[in-house]
Every structure is written in structure tokens, then in C-alpha cells.
Amino acid sequence: MSLEGKTALITGGGSGVGADMAVRFAEAGARVVIAGRRIDALEALAGRHRAISPCAADVTDEQSVADLFRAAGPVDIVIANAGMAESAPFVKTSLEEWNRHLAVNLTGVFLTLRAGLQQMKGRDWGRLIAVASTAGLKGYPYVAAYTAAKHGVVGLVRSVALEVARSGVTANALCPGFLDTEMTERSVANIVEKTGASPDEARAKLAANNPQGRLIAPAEVSAAALWLCGVGSEGVNGEAVSISGGEI
């Protein structure tokens, strides 16, 4: 497929799924703007392809998001990918932890997609994509705040999809299972610390959630995002696409 002439903005673009998406969208011909709080990581990734530009931004801050879109210029594809995850038993989850998850994983998506749609007003084509999680479709123990935020993302996307249904814009969510990324490695380290399991045992425990018995590769999520931007995807709107080997 070709995305020549399109501009894609990807939050959380310095690592994991966001970084993989940035490279693959650039290889497909798009101009790509990656955003995040760690400018060093963004600049390092931008060095991998001339079509990728870095821009420091905090998705939880309304003004920062507005400045990001102003710097990016007109965009055709907006991927709200920035996220964070921490685990704790529900009864030990602090209000601070709860608010932090909602701020990054839900409010950040709201601010990013809203700014993107504002830019797309009056155009006949646009794509709004949120990277959610299977945690937006089911429950997992010890991640109540994360799960609540991701459920919110799925609901947000479904509402936005109905508002844009008569335009050329679509809004969808991608819901991967446990990924083979840096964020999962932090989950592995947490399991090791709290249970005494080996890293391999902890990784296998996470992979076991997938009926295929493996972690999901970032490239699989990127492929789904590219598909949503390709010819023939016009009727896919308001969907929460599970990428989980059949987990859900």
C-alpha cells in the first residue's frame, strides 16, 4: 500500500508499538510526526528514516497537545498510542495511581483524537486510531486502573465513530494482547520481584493468556493500523479490533 501525500501523527512514538508504527508508516510513504516526553528516544528513532520527525509533547496537557498539532501541520492519520501501565491489587491502588492511569491512557487519547478531528474538519478523508488493549474488552487482575482506562478508550472511540460516520473520517481502536515490548518487560520484572518467578517463567505466564501461546509482535499491531488506512477500510468504523490470538 502507499500512503504518499499523507501525514501521520503518532503519540508514544519513541518506543514499542509506536516506534514500529512510525517506521512502517514512513516506509509506506507517509510523512510521520512522532511525539512523546523523551525527546532523546524520539530523535534516535527519527534517525532511522528521513520521513520521521520528532516533537516533544505531553498528551495529558491540553496546551502541549495543541502545540504538537500546530507544529505538525495538517495531519491525515492520528494514532493515539501513548500509554503507561502499573500493577497493584485493587484495594492497594492509590488515588494517585488511578488518576495517573486515567490521565495518560484515557485523557491523553481524548485530547489527541479531539485535536486530530479538529484539524480534519471539512476534509473528505481521515483516520483516528487509538491503541487500546484487550484490557479494554475484558478484565485482568491487579490492573484495575489500567483496565478501566482502556475500557474508556473503547467507549470513546465508539462514540466518536458515530459522530464522524457521515464524513470520510473513521475512528477505531486496536486492542492487542500482551505485547513483546519494553512495557511488557517491565511487567515481567514486576512479576519476578513479587513472586520470585524467573524472567522466563514470568514471560510464559503472560504469553499463556494468548491461546497461541505467545506474545504479540508490535509489527502485528502496525499491520492492523496500516490496514485501517488502506483502500477498502472505509466501512470499518467504531470497531475495537482484538489482536490477541483468539483470547477475546
Side-chain angles (χ1 to χ4, degrees):
M1 68 177 297
S2 174
L3 292 175
E4 291 288 343
K6 304 291 188 187
T7 295
L9 186 149
I10 304 171
T11 65
S15 62
V17 168
D20 189 84
M21 283 183 176
V23 173
R24 293 177 190 276
F25 271 72
E27 290 175 344
R31 180 177 77 89
V32 179
V33 177
I34 53 173
R37 287 186 284 193
R38 295 183 297 126
I39 190 62
D40 55 338
L42 298 173
E43 290 175 342
L45 183 69
R48 294 174 55 185
H49 199 290
R50 59 182 177 78
I52 301 176
S53 301
C55 187
D58 179 355
V59 298
T60 69
D61 182 87
E62 186 173 26
Q63 187 59 54
S64 182
V65 172
D67 292 342
L68 166 64
F69 277 83
R70 189 177 301 109
V75 294
D76 307 285
I77 301 161
V78 174
I79 303 179
N81 169 71
M84 55 85 66
E86 297 172 339
S87 63
F90 178 60
V91 295
K92 293 185 178 180
T93 299
S94 68
L95 180 58
E96 180 183 2
E97 290 169 329
W98 172 266
N99 286 336
R100 186 160 58 245
H101 277 85
L102 292 184
V104 176
N105 295 326
L106 182 54
T107 301
V109 173
F110 158 68
L111 291 173
T112 301
L113 296 189
R114 186 185 65 171
L117 186 56
Q118 288 169 342
Q119 277 207 4
M120 293 174 187
K121 187 175 181 180
R123 296 197 222 161
D124 59 3
W125 193 95
R127 294 291 182 267
L128 301 173
I129 301 171
V131 178
S133 165
T134 46
L137 303 172
K138 60 175 286 188
Y140 290 102
Y142 308 113
V143 286
Y146 178 82
T147 299
K150 293 299 186 179
H151 270 71
V153 170
V154 171
L156 171 65
V157 164
R158 286 172 173 162
S159 290
V160 173
L162 295 176
E163 293 191 25
V164 301
R166 293 185 179 275
S167 71
V169 177
T170 62
N172 291 284
L174 298 177
C175 298
F178 284 99
L179 288 154
D180 191 5
T181 63
E182 298 92 330
M183 185 179 290
T184 298
E185 287 306 306
R186 290 193 289 273
S187 296
V188 166
N190 188 55
I191 293 172
V192 169
E193 179 185 352
K194 293 185 176 180
T195 69
S198 71
D200 286 344
E201 289 170 336
R203 201 170 289 107
K205 181 178 177 65
L206 297 178
N209 287 283
N210 181 341
Q212 294 176 338
R214 65 182 182 87
L215 299 176
I216 298 297
E220 297 175 81
V221 186
S222 297
L226 285 166
W227 168 66
L228 289 174
C229 298
V231 176
S233 68
E234 295 81 5
V236 184
N237 187 38
E239 295 298 321
V241 182
S242 176
I243 308 167
S244 62
E247 179 184 355
I248 188 167

